[in-house]
Amino acid sequence: GNSVTQMEGPVTLSEEAFLTINCTYTATGYPSLFWYVQYPGEGLQLLLKATKADDKGSNKGFEATYRKETTSFHLEKGSVQVSDSAVYFCALTDNNAGNMLTFGGGTRLMVKP
Amino acid sequence: EAGVTQSPTHLIKTRGQQVTLRCSPISGHTSVYWYQQALGLGLQFLLWYDEGEERNRGNFPPRFSGRQFPNYSSELNVNALELEDSALYLCASSLGAGTEETQYFGPGTRLLVL
């Protein structure tokens, strides 16, 4: 079956630090890859996505590249802000798995001023 | 444009009771998905409806059921509630049924079973 593994948190950074959250996946088909963010007390918001190998998704200064050879989709941001504090979920859909999103366990990011 | 809406926002029930959660997708979206976010268990897929039909079901017992109406809104029903059903239930919608389509999430319904 499909699975997504992401680094456990919490990740604590100072403002303006560089962020990397690792995500690797296992899929039986040809997955599309997503990063979602969940702010406290809210639902999930799409952060970025990539639908084929070597695609780079980007939004709000965050980036992730779909690496088929390493089955990875690591999230990066060059300079984090306090407002980036949230839980980040890596996820995939797979044409062999009926459109369901398979999520990683989530990584809590805390950014200190 | 309005996003995905869910009702109610919070709900408290007791063991053995039944509950119905509601979801309205983004206008023009035909697919609706339900997920459970339980403490310590992460996000688990429950159900997928598209064009009024159930297309896929996650690994949940039959007391979890739902339907999609002609206007594409959806209900999730949970019968014989158990304590472990306490969770945030998230609804999402997408424009089409392809795996590359983005699923847009609502704010969720928080269910507490006592």
Side-chain angles (χ1 to χ4, degrees):
Chain A
N2 296 338
S3 66
V4 177
T5 302
Q6 58 183 110
M7 58 193 295
E8 290 192 22
V11 173
T12 304
L13 296 173
S14 297
E15 207 165 21
E16 299 183 3
F18 184 85
L19 169 71
T20 299
I21 301 178
N22 290 336
C23 170
T24 57
Y25 67 88
T26 303
T28 57
Y30 298 96
S32 294
L33 303 174
F34 304 83
W35 276 100
Y36 282 88
V37 58
Q38 188 173 34
Y39 296 102
E42 298 184 12
L44 297 174
Q45 297 179 24
L46 176 72
L47 186 57
L48 52 84
K49 74 177 191 181
T51 59
K52 62 182 187 296
D54 299 325
D55 270 2
K56 178 187 283 188
S58 61
N59 185 26
K60 299 181 181 179
F62 291 89
E63 292 184 340
T65 301
Y66 187 142
R67 301 285 188 202
K68 187 176 179 182
E69 63 276 14
T70 54
T71 62
S72 65
F73 193 53
H74 304 322
L75 182 68
E76 297 182 336
K77 186 175 185 183
S79 176
V80 294
Q81 306 300 313
V82 172
S83 57
D84 293 327
S85 298
V87 180
Y88 292 80
F89 292 92
C90 185
L92 67 83
T93 56
D94 181 349
N95 55 316
N96 285 347
N99 272 32
M100 57 180 280
L101 275 163
T102 299
F103 287 92
T107 302
R108 181 174 300 278
L109 171 65
M110 299 170 57
V111 181
K112 296 181 176 179
Chain B
E1 179 182 285
V4 176
T5 59
Q6 294 185 243
S7 63
T9 54
H10 294 84
L11 208 50
I12 300 175
K13 293 285 188 179
T14 56
R15 284 176 57 191
Q17 285 188 309
Q18 178 265 344
V19 68
T20 297
L21 311 181
R22 295 177 175 83
C23 172
S24 291
I26 292 172
S27 177
H29 286 195
T30 61
S31 276
V32 171
Y33 310 80
W34 289 94
Y35 293 86
Q36 183 196 66
Q37 188 176 26
L39 203 60
L41 292 178
L43 281 149
Q44 307 284 326
F45 167 76
L46 268 164
L47 290 159
W48 169 33
Y49 293 95
D50 182 62
E51 297 284 0
E53 300 286 330
E54 183 180 302
R55 302 295 186 185
N56 195 13
R57 181 182 181 85
N59 189 25
F60 281 83
R63 56 190 187 82
F64 287 83
S65 64
R67 53 180 173 167
Q68 186 179 33
F69 299 98
N71 67 353
Y72 303 112
S73 67
S74 177
E75 283 182 352
L76 173 69
N77 298 294
V78 188
N79 294 322
L81 283 166
E82 299 180 1
L83 297 179
E84 54 264 33
D85 297 333
S86 295
L88 179 67
Y89 289 85
L90 293 166
C91 173
S93 72
S94 67
L95 185 60
T99 54
E100 73 284 0
E101 295 285 349
T102 297
Q103 295 181 26
Y104 295 90
F105 283 81
T109 293
R110 193 167 295 279
L111 172 65
L112 178 61
V113 182
L114 301 175

